[in-house]
Amino acid sequence: MFSQLRLRIQAALHRRHLERDLEEEVAYHLQRRADSLREAGDPDPEHAALRRFGNPASLRENLRDQWTFPRLESVWQDTRYAARLLRNSPGFTAVAVLSLALGIGANTSIFTVIDAILLKTLPVPEPSQLVILRNATKIEKDLRWSRTGSMGGLDKESGLRTSSVFPYLAFQELQAQLTSASVFAFASLFDIHTVVQGRASMGSGHMVSGNYFQVLGVHPGLGRLLVEADDRPGAPRAAVVSHRFWQTALASDPAVIGRTLGINAVGFTIVGVTPPGFYGVSVGGFISAPDVYVPLQAQPLLAPYTPHSSRSIFQAPDFLWLNIMARTRPGASRQSTASEATSLWRQFILEQGFSKDPVRDDFRIIALAGAQGIDSLRTKFERPLLMLQVVVALVLLIACANLASLLLARSESRRREINVRLALGAARARLFRQFLTESLLLGALAASLGVLLAQWGTQVLVAALFERDVALRLQIQPDLRVLLFSLTLSLLTVFLFGLAPAFRATRTSLAPELHRMARTAFLSRAVIVTQVALSLVLLAGAALFLRTLQNLYSVQLGFNKENVLIFAVDPTRNGMRDQQLVNFYEALRARLRVIPGVRSVSASNETLMSGWYSSSMIAMNGESAAGSQPISMRYLRVTPDFFETMGIPLPSGRGILESDTAAAPSVAVLSETAARLVAPSGSPLGRSFQWTGKWRGKEVTVVGVARDTRSHELSQPVEPTLYVPYLQGPWDVGRLQFELRTAVPARDVLPLVHQAVQALDANLPPYQFRTQSEQVDERFALQRVLARACTAFGLMALLLASIGIYGIIAHSTTRRTAEIGVRVALGARPADVIWLVLRQAAFLAALGILAGLALSLASARLIEASLYQVKATDPAALAAAAAVLALTVFAAGLLPARRAAKVNPVAALKYE
């Protein structure tokens, strides 16, 4: 068996040589027999030799079957024949391949992003064993610990209030006593300053427990990773850098181990580099992918936050700051880990006196699946991405319907060829395989082009959806799973929409020709109606999202977003405090004001429309305020010139002045909404209030009223806001965001801003550079992507539908050439012929539009939540989509109609 297989393989490799030998051998035997017959006196030895020898062609075929693979040969013949047919029909091939490639490429692009965000697991061994621990309780108020840094929320399954962070003492208890899982912890270091060989830059980091990398199962890419010994008090300051940081900041230097890395003005020794592809336990989300990892014990040196008590952060049981994950041990489950951790947590709650009855108050630990890490981008992008996947799936269906109509028309044009081949004895299965091979070849060409288009489409989608640093960390690129998805999609489209035309073409039928043609016409028209209906759904969606985007951009923000450059600096990371910090900010303001092209400069603790804000409770003073409830206010700490820089009008009073220093009386400016809350029937100017809570006792006088500004959620009511001088609050000055209004394009002054900051502190990198317009646009990114994508795909669907309609109308008109000739001969005018043809297109369009309207109304609930100030059943959007589609159908049918109107009656009557 193996020897025969070897001979066949050798024969395949030396096919031409064997063919030549076979021809020579057959010719030799024929010649020998003819010579023998000639010597015997046969008058026609050549023909006699041929009769006795047998059919040489049949003999050659039988011999070839012995040393080749007949089935493979047959498939190869079908493929070559299909390739010749497609090459001889370049128009048909181009339209079919491009239609499918657009649909496959769009679906592959969306799936690539979905795979990276929603499906991929952490690149660690056995990620299914990882769990995320969260603490939960039914108590909603009077919790005695801080929730600083907590990603809290309401758990939908249990209805409990949850938090993602724990105190260090609780982590120690779980690490020492939990038997069903190995526990590790980490905390984020946001916006750290890193200094490498005198070059300062911004980055992010994690403080991790000594067993972080060990439990995750991560191995070093270079050097070693952190271990338990590094996380002990007094241990040498060790740090591990990410592979991306090693490539960008350290130039992939293999001698980096042992080098000193400055983090927030503290020196650490680099001991290792993480492997490529490891980006921590969260991909590009709330917990950013870290550039550096340091032990938890480095917290006092880096001082990202401090407990409210006098105890250290490691001894304060009322300060929650650590995220905790675990890897279950063999035989354990998430449920058993949660149950055991709950018992230990309740014991801790009872010992610390936070509850007299933890069971009654339902304190518990919830264990979430951790295979995909800490939830980051999934919550934000899951719904938009799934909506886009539905949209591109509709595009693919339209492309497939287009392909089906083209194949049906092509099979009709090949009817004579098929009948001849059947008459010559070709098996129906053989013909079916031939048609299927043609479809598979089309699918293969479309899949190849689709994958290339997907590369470009993925880059466009990622750039539109994500910020640049998030996109870099996601490393979105096609992998084996994406390629398998593309291949499966191609095969499905070919089989689902190529089999019907193949079956139709090869089916032998005794029905009259007119009946067969009528059935084929019905199928073609059904395909066209489907295309029109799906196109209407996409166009209606595009119209709704464009209306949403228009409504969002028409909202009055309350400030002037044009020509404003924004950036942040945080001197506290370099150890600046108190008056030294104030002096730095005042010196920086002075330097920024003299930059050519800068009209005004201000700073605030948060920028407008950033999505971040601080809030507090205030209590009004005076008789009218006696017994009144505290009012919740959003507040901004701002420098003088803030209202001038941001273009916020002041209807009454004044803004923040240079004289509003720490030594001056405390003042504030209220927004119009806040003013109506504190003084419903009069002016709030001159009235005073006090901060409540930990800032109680600080009296503040209202000196001005500013125009309302919108927050990051435009769908929410305007929030009451107060503006206070950044030097007069009972708070630390901390980090500030600077705003520069310019007389030139905002980004033109960026190099000079860098120089101004570096002149004051060479180790202080400014970061988060953007314009105010860009920040506003970021708030509408999802709606903008949905609007543009639906519009692009809607136009693509419209193009495909118009091609299909043109094809079916042109084909139908060609078949009716003789009928049209008779009508013209009997006196029909060109307008009558045009209407005769367009009537068919109008009928198909009407059916498709009605079906599309029904589909659009049925799917309205799916997109309702993504719209703003427009309903999913908006009549104007549906009417506009229907009108565009009707005009497209009219245009697609007009060309064959005009051609039919010019037909020569004599030539038409001779048409077969």
Side-chain angles (χ1 to χ4, degrees):
M1 176 181 177
F2 290 105
S3 61
Q4 186 179 12
L5 179 62
R6 185 175 67 253
L7 289 174
R8 292 194 176 197
I9 294 175
Q10 290 176 352
L13 296 175
H14 304 88
R15 178 66 179 267
R16 290 185 179 180
H17 178 70
L18 290 175
E19 288 280 358
R20 188 171 61 251
D21 290 347
L22 180 59
E23 290 293 337
E24 291 176 356
E25 186 172 357
V26 170
Y28 170 76
H29 285 289
L30 281 174
Q31 186 61 44
R32 288 290 305 272
R33 182 154 298 189
D35 292 342
S36 299
L37 291 172
R38 187 178 294 108
E39 292 175 359
D42 194 306
D44 190 4
E46 283 78 10
H47 285 88
L50 189 61
R51 287 193 301 271
R52 296 187 181 186
F53 186 80
N55 189 345
S58 177
L59 178 63
R60 282 193 290 265
E61 287 295 325
N62 291 332
L63 289 174
R64 287 193 189 102
D65 289 345
Q66 300 301 316
W67 43 265
T68 60
F69 299 92
R71 292 185 181 276
L72 292 179
E73 287 282 330
S74 178
V75 170
W76 176 241
Q77 290 174 1
D78 288 345
T79 304
R80 286 188 299 173
Y81 182 70
R84 285 198 301 270
L85 287 175
L86 296 180
R87 184 186 60 193
N88 294 334
S89 304
F92 164 80
T93 303
V95 172
V97 170
L98 188 58
S99 300
L100 271 183
L102 290 173
I104 292 172
N107 277 269
T108 303
S109 295
I110 301 296
F111 180 78
T112 302
V113 180
I114 288 178
D115 179 56
I117 296 176
L118 305 181
L119 303 179
K120 278 187 177 178
T121 58
L122 294 177
V124 299
E126 301 294 337
S128 59
Q129 295 177 353
L130 295 176
V131 296
I132 303 168
L133 301 186
R134 295 178 67 95
N135 66 75
T137 180
K138 65 182 180 183
I139 297 178
E140 297 187 12
K141 297 180 180 179
D142 300 324
L143 290 176
R144 292 179 55 184
W145 55 75
S146 165
R147 290 177 179 264
T148 302
S150 169
M151 292 190 292
L154 184 67
D155 183 65
K156 295 180 180 180
E157 294 183 6
S158 62
L160 301 176
R161 309 294 299 182
T162 66
S163 171
S164 64
V165 287
F166 295 78
Y168 182 80
L169 291 176
F171 163 65
Q172 283 188 313
E173 292 290 328
L174 291 171
Q175 188 179 34
Q177 300 187 43
L178 195 64
T179 61
S180 59
S182 300
V183 176
F184 63 94
F186 57 93
S188 293
L189 286 169
F190 297 104
D191 300 333
I192 60 174
H193 292 176
T194 61
V195 180
V196 181
Q197 295 180 336
R199 297 191 304 273
S201 61
M202 292 300 299
S204 61
H206 274 181
M207 297 179 293
V208 301
S209 58
N211 64 340
Y212 176 89
F213 293 105
Q214 177 188 357
V215 177
L216 280 174
V218 178
H219 300 287
L222 192 67
R224 69 172 179 85
L225 302 178
L226 298 177
V227 295
E228 295 279 3
D230 296 315
D231 194 27
R232 292 173 184 163
R237 296 194 291 270
V240 170
V241 299
S242 71
H243 187 269
R244 184 169 67 96
F245 186 84
W246 176 66
Q247 288 180 315
T248 55
L250 300 171
S252 302
D253 186 358
V256 73
I257 306 302
R259 187 177 298 175
T260 298
L261 172 68
I263 305 176
N264 290 353
V266 179
F268 286 79
T269 300
I270 299 176
V271 299
V273 179
T274 61
F278 179 74
Y279 299 97
V281 293
S282 178
V283 182
F286 181 85
I287 300 177
S288 57
D291 296 311
V292 298
Y293 301 83
V294 296
L296 290 176
Q297 294 298 324
Q299 188 277 333
L301 297 171
L302 303 175
Y305 34 73
T306 55
H308 300 307
S309 65
S310 60
R311 286 176 288 183
S312 83
I313 197 169
F314 297 101
Q315 300 301 320
D318 58 345
F319 191 78
L320 285 70
W321 63 290
L322 282 179
N323 293 274
I324 296 180
M325 290 181 66
R327 180 183 288 276
T328 57
R329 294 193 169 96
S333 63
R334 269 199 300 134
Q335 290 73 20
S336 62
T337 298
S339 177
E340 185 183 4
T342 295
S343 299
L344 295 173
W345 176 241
R346 287 174 175 173
Q347 180 181 347
F348 176 83
I349 295 295
L350 187 61
E351 291 174 353
Q352 300 300 330
F354 296 135
S355 172
K356 295 182 180 179
D357 191 347
V359 177
R360 178 200 62 198
D361 294 333
D362 208 1
F363 283 91
R364 67 172 72 174
I365 298 293
I366 298 174
L368 305 176
Q372 294 178 291
I374 300 292
D375 186 14
S376 51
L377 301 177
R378 291 192 297 275
T379 301
K380 180 179 180 181
F381 290 102
E382 181 177 15
R383 185 179 182 87
L385 285 175
L386 293 179
M387 288 176 60
L388 286 177
Q389 187 70 74
V390 171
V391 168
V392 295
L394 292 178
V395 173
L396 182 60
L397 281 176
I398 293 172
C400 291
N402 208 44
L403 175 63
S405 63
L406 289 173
L407 291 176
L408 281 170
R410 184 175 173 81
S411 66
E412 286 302 308
S413 65
R414 296 174 62 186
R415 172 59 52 185
R416 178 173 295 179
E417 171 202 341
I418 296 168
N419 289 336
V420 170
R421 295 179 68 178
L422 288 172
L424 292 176
R428 180 184 168 196
R430 186 71 175 79
L431 290 178
F432 186 87
R433 192 178 70 187
Q434 176 64 55
F435 275 85
L436 191 58
T437 301
E438 294 176 25
S439 300
L440 286 171
L441 188 56
L442 279 174
L445 293 174
S448 302
L449 181 58
V451 170
L452 294 178
L453 292 175
Q455 295 273 2
W456 172 79
T458 301
Q459 294 175 4
V460 172
L461 183 62
V462 170
L465 282 176
F466 310 112
E467 299 176 8
R468 183 175 180 273
D469 59 335
V470 174
L472 288 174
R473 288 197 297 267
L474 285 174
Q475 295 290 310
I476 296 179
Q477 55 187 2
D479 54 13
L480 181 60
R481 185 157 44 183
V482 173
L483 293 177
L484 287 176
F485 171 82
S486 180
L487 178 61
T488 304
L489 203 60
S490 305
L491 292 176
L492 282 176
T493 56
V494 167
F495 278 101
L496 292 180
F497 293 90
L499 283 180
F503 180 79
R504 185 79 184 162
T506 58
R507 189 174 68 176
T508 55
S509 174
L510 298 178
E513 182 70 10
L514 289 177
H515 291 176
R516 182 191 59 76
M517 293 175 61
R519 287 195 296 268
T520 303
F522 174 78
L523 288 175
S524 300
R525 290 168 183 170
V527 169
I528 295 302
V529 169
T530 302
Q531 285 182 286
V532 172
L534 295 179
S535 299
L536 180 64
V537 172
L538 292 179
L539 289 174
L544 291 171
F545 284 117
L546 286 174
R547 287 280 304 277
T548 291
L549 200 59
Q550 181 183 18
N551 292 340
L552 287 171
Y553 276 108
S554 65
V555 172
Q556 295 297 318
L557 301 176
F559 61 90
N560 184 1
K561 66 178 182 177
E562 304 300 330
N563 287 343
V564 176
L565 181 70
I566 304 170
F567 71 94
V569 289
D570 191 357
T572 64
R573 302 295 185 189
N574 286 358
M576 292 189 193
R577 295 290 186 275
D578 304 326
Q579 191 58 41
Q580 182 187 14
L581 186 60
V582 174
N583 293 340
F584 174 86
Y585 283 140
E586 294 304 311
L588 181 57
R589 287 177 60 211
R591 284 181 175 271
L592 294 174
R593 276 196 295 262
V594 299
I595 291 177
V598 173
R599 294 170 53 187
S600 63
V601 177
S602 65
S604 56
N605 64 313
E606 298 296 346
T607 55
L608 300 178
M609 295 293 290
S610 66
W612 298 91
Y613 61 89
S614 302
S615 62
S616 183
M617 305 292 289
I618 65 170
M620 299 302 298
N621 295 330
E623 294 181 3
S624 61
S628 62
Q629 295 294 321
I631 304 172
S632 176
M633 291 278 184
R634 187 175 62 132
Y635 68 88
L636 283 177
R637 298 183 280 119
V638 301
T639 65
D641 296 331
F642 176 79
F643 298 103
E644 292 80 0
T645 301
M646 297 310 301
I648 302 175
L650 295 168
S652 60
R654 66 173 177 87
I656 305 300
L657 305 178
E658 296 287 351
S659 58
D660 295 323
T661 63
S666 296
V667 297
V669 174
L670 300 183
S671 68
E672 292 173 320
T673 300
R676 287 191 292 269
L677 280 177
V678 303
S681 58
S683 172
L685 299 182
R687 297 195 59 184
S688 62
F689 64 85
Q690 291 186 1
W691 302 99
T692 63
K694 61 181 179 180
W695 295 336
R696 183 184 299 276
K698 187 76 171 181
E699 187 168 307
V700 185
T701 301
V702 178
V703 296
V705 176
R707 185 69 50 81
D708 281 330
T709 59
R710 299 303 300 251
S711 66
H712 64 290
E713 291 292 345
L714 297 184
S715 58
Q716 301 298 322
V718 175
E719 299 181 51
T721 306
L722 58 88
Y723 304 88
V724 293
Y726 86 108
L727 295 176
Q728 290 190 351
W731 43 68
D732 297 329
V733 175
R735 180 197 71 165
L736 285 184
Q737 303 259 5
F738 278 77
E739 303 95 9
L740 282 69
R741 180 162 292 281
T742 63
V744 297
R747 285 192 172 271
D748 288 357
V749 302
L750 195 149
L752 297 176
V753 171
H754 269 285
Q755 294 177 15
V757 176
Q758 296 295 299
L760 294 175
D761 189 340
N763 292 328
L764 181 63
Y767 62 105
Q768 291 182 353
F769 280 98
R770 61 210 181 279
T771 66
Q772 185 66 60
S773 295
E774 290 170 351
Q775 181 155 285
V776 172
D777 289 343
E778 287 176 6
R779 310 313 306 174
F780 311 146
L782 288 178
Q783 290 86 352
R784 188 169 60 252
V785 168
L786 288 172
R788 290 177 179 176
C790 285
T791 302
F793 292 134
L795 293 176
M796 188 188 304
L798 199 62
L799 175 63
L800 294 175
S802 63
I803 291 174
I805 291 169
Y806 169 79
I808 191 65
I809 298 299
H811 183 69
S812 174
T813 303
T814 301
R815 288 207 319 251
R816 300 175 66 183
T817 301
E819 173 195 346
I820 293 172
V822 171
R823 291 177 180 271
V824 172
L826 293 176
R829 296 171 300 173
D832 297 328
V833 176
I834 290 175
W835 171 242
L836 176 69
V837 177
L838 287 181
R839 186 170 56 192
Q840 180 183 6
F843 177 72
L844 296 177
L847 289 180
I849 289 173
L850 289 175
L853 289 174
L855 284 175
S856 298
L857 295 175
S859 59
R861 290 187 305 168
L862 300 178
I863 63 172
E864 192 80 54
S866 301
L867 303 178
Y868 178 68
Q869 291 186 350
V870 61
K871 292 186 176 297
T873 56
D874 181 55
L878 295 175
V884 169
L885 197 54
L887 289 175
T888 302
V889 172
F890 175 80
L894 186 60
L895 186 61
R898 288 171 60 86
R899 189 184 302 120
K902 297 178 181 179
V903 70
N904 186 333
V906 176
L909 291 174
K910 294 179 180 179
Y911 181 81
E912 183 179 358

